[in-house]
Amino acid sequence: MLVRLAGVDYGYDLQRWHDHLKSIPRSESRGYTWSRKIVLPKVMEKALASEEWRVVAGELIGGT
């Protein structure tokens, strides 16, 4: 659904998704609608630091 709404597909790359969504003007409903932060949100940082996230994302994209 996110891919369809955003018109791009960054797979499981949270940093690229974050960068893309914060670049969309706030007036457009397909970007962030809350105050955008320059840095990656802590919830995304936590996911990227998680071994579980890396394993599951790797499996979903066909890696190991």
Side-chain angles (χ1 to χ4, degrees), residues 12 55-64:
Y12 298 96
V55 169
V56 171
E59 290 173 356
L60 291 170
I61 61 173
T64 56

Side-chain angles (χ1 to χ4, degrees), residues 31-51:
Y32 284 140
T33 56
W34 43 272
S35 179
R36 294 173 229 171
K37 295 183 177 183
I38 300 299
V39 298
L40 194 65
K42 290 196 185 304
V43 67
M44 291 181 179
E45 287 178 359
K46 185 176 178 181
L48 290 173
S50 163
E51 178 65 23

Side-chain angles (χ1 to χ4, degrees), residues 9-53:
D9 185 353
Y10 295 117
Y12 298 96
D13 188 331
L14 298 180
Q15 183 67 58
R16 288 189 71 197
W17 275 113
H18 173 67
D19 292 342
H20 175 75
L21 293 171
K22 73 180 184 180
S23 73
I24 298 171
R26 195 171 183 181
S27 60
E28 293 186 34
S29 62
R30 59 191 183 96
Y32 284 140
T33 56
W34 43 272
S35 179
R36 294 173 229 171
K37 295 183 177 183
I38 300 299
V39 298
L40 194 65
K42 290 196 185 304
V43 67
M44 291 181 179
E45 287 178 359
K46 185 176 178 181
L48 290 173
S50 163
E51 178 65 23
E52 183 180 8
W53 170 261

